[in-house]
Amino acid sequence: RIYWDGEEAPSVESPLGDFFCCGFGASYSVNSMPISVNPIRGFNCYFPMPFGKEAKITIENQCDEDVVNFFYQVDYLLVDELPADTGYFHAQWKRQRMTETGNDYVILDHVKGKGHYVGTYMALTALERNWYGEGEIKFYIDGDKEYPTICGTGTEDYFGGAWAFLVPEEGGLVETPYCTPFLGFPYYSHHPAFRQNPAQDEGQPAQRSFYRWHIPDPVLFEEDLKVTIQQIGVRPGGLFERQDDVATVAYWYQREPHVPFEKLMERMLRWPR
């Protein structure tokens, strides 16, 4: 959790791994501009985080065991005064253990004021077979109701890939993770050959991580912002609405004060996925 200028409600609240794009309690490499994760569990964040008078960063151990190794470094720069329109860094974690058919998953809501959206991390556990990545990301900006100002073309496209992230390999087509400065698919829990038979049982549900940074292309808002994504996939016969286990972290800047976040999901409900 991070608190700016003596506020009581945190502006950042997230499980540690998810904040650094490492969901599922896993540790894997992430090579992007603002977030870098290196062996072994070297979590690095380069988002600018301005504040006027004071900052407080806390880490809460919610495990039953003590943490025996934890170290950190915080770098900061002193300036005489911040510009009057400076936005403060915010990040909020959410999870829906099973999405609802016909209702878009809500990445971020109840943001009031002026600011800009800078990124999304998503940890997806596929609870249904077949392709999962057709859902459109939607940005409802400054009073949008029925129709969003920005509507994407599919989950795979939002995170910078296409055609199911498939690369030809011996025995079939295989989903292939990747990392780039502003978008990536850094983690896939297993790597089976793609099969056309939807009845094929592949065992434990697959887990995937994605990130998308709106740094060269921030989403600006003057009054309010809501961000959602559909859970839509493809199976023989066409598109269908899926129900999956989705967790996200939304990253944005805004002027304080912010609307306090909803209560964080209890520890035992967050684990296991």
Side-chain angles (χ1 to χ4, degrees), residues 197-271:
N197 180 6
Q200 176 69 44
D201 183 7
E202 295 181 349
Q204 181 177 348
Q207 297 174 322
R208 300 169 175 91
S209 280
F210 305 94
Y211 64 84
R212 170 70 157 87
W213 307 128
H214 296 267
I215 293 177
D217 57 341
V219 178
L220 308 179
F221 56 94
E222 294 286 337
E223 299 175 0
D224 55 69
L225 177 67
K226 179 179 180 179
V227 186
T228 69
I229 192 167
Q230 299 169 311
Q231 289 304 293
I232 294 180
V234 174
R235 63 188 174 196
L239 299 173
F240 75 108
E241 295 187 8
R242 299 175 56 93
Q243 289 183 277
D244 293 308
D245 184 341
V246 181
T248 55
V249 180
Y251 308 78
W252 76 99
Y253 289 85
Q254 71 165 94
R255 290 290 295 165
E256 294 286 5
H258 69 277
V259 176
F261 301 161
E262 61 197 51
K263 183 176 175 58
L264 194 68
M265 182 181 286
E266 295 294 331
R267 173 179 72 110
M268 295 308 295
L269 293 178
R270 299 198 306 267
W271 179 91

